[in-house]
Amino acid sequence: MVKYKNLTLLGSSHIAKESITKVKDSIQKIRPEIIALELDRPRLNALLSKNKKKTLSYKSLGLKGFLLNLIGAYIEKSLSKHTGISPGTEMKTAIKIAKKHNIRIALIDQPINTTIKKLLTNLTRREKWRIVKDFFLSFFVRSKFQFDLNKVPSEKLIEKLMKETKKNYPNVYNVLVTERDSFMSKALYKLITTFPEKQILAIVGAGHIKGVLGELKSMTK
């Protein structure tokens, strides 16, 4: 956890058991009046839907975007089989507690259709080929980054993963990390300046903590 003014940033892994525990403990310790989540409305609706087959539609994402989102969801779901935790359970846990204690929920992530459209527009042939190659190699070659999927990766490991991603997939990194860091930091800046007296807990992917915090500090100088 990182504290900044009236905001606490909690880094999570969307399939880790440890994330659920950290969410519960953080809410109990901080007693936030606002919980900000790395979600937008369509993803929130899909996450909370009782219909397990319901997902983001191709009408909102476009066919290519829909297929890209489907591949990402498949990879995340495959990894979650090793932990027994459905993707986004830590977010659902935060929402459940927020509803129980009448805590305000704020959605701070960039709309998923915007993110996917930008990704499709900026993805180079080289990156597309590398994604396909790395995907198939993952079935046969053991990754050099080994860590417990049940736990949130350490700051040192996250730094290495981010550096590797930026090197191999610069445009992917820019769209999925840099631009979303900027979007979320602006949303959080609005929250902490609009509600300076309230304690705010933001739950975001651990890989976004450093970027979001840096953006926030530059905005509040």
Side-chain angles (χ1 to χ4, degrees), residues 121-166:
T121 300
N122 292 282
L123 203 59
T124 63
R125 284 187 177 182
R126 183 179 180 181
E127 286 175 306
K128 288 176 183 177
W129 166 244
R130 183 143 200 163
I131 288 172
V132 173
K133 185 185 75 172
D134 288 350
F135 175 73
F136 284 105
L137 280 176
S138 67
F139 291 100
F140 308 101
V141 180
R142 191 174 183 181
S143 171
K144 61 182 178 180
F145 297 108
Q146 297 298 316
F147 58 93
D148 187 350
L149 290 172
N150 284 299
K151 296 182 178 180
V152 179
S154 67
E155 189 175 334
K156 186 176 180 180
L157 179 57
I158 290 171
E159 190 71 30
K160 289 181 179 178
L161 288 168
M162 292 293 102
K163 188 176 181 180
E164 187 80 2
T165 303
K166 190 174 183 179

Side-chain angles (χ1 to χ4, degrees), residues 35-51:
I35 296 178
L37 301 175
E38 183 197 334
L39 290 172
D40 65 339
R41 180 59 60 180
R43 285 161 62 207
L44 174 69
N45 292 339
L47 185 65
L48 298 180
S49 175
K50 292 181 180 180
N51 182 358

Side-chain angles (χ1 to χ4, degrees), residues 23-36:
V23 164
K24 291 178 179 177
D25 291 345
S26 298
I27 294 174
Q28 186 176 19
K29 180 181 179 180
I30 299 164
R31 299 191 179 280
E33 293 154 281
I34 300 173
I35 296 178

Side-chain angles (χ1 to χ4, degrees), residues 60-72:
S60 61
L61 302 178
L63 181 58
K64 289 183 179 179
F66 174 74
L67 291 174
L68 187 63
N69 183 66
L70 208 61
I71 292 169

Side-chain angles (χ1 to χ4, degrees), residues 178 181-182 185-186 210-220:
T178 306
D181 283 352
S182 179
S185 63
K186 287 174 184 175
K210 184 177 179 179
V212 169
L213 184 61
E215 290 268 356
L216 276 172
K217 286 182 176 179
S218 67
M219 283 188 277
T220 53

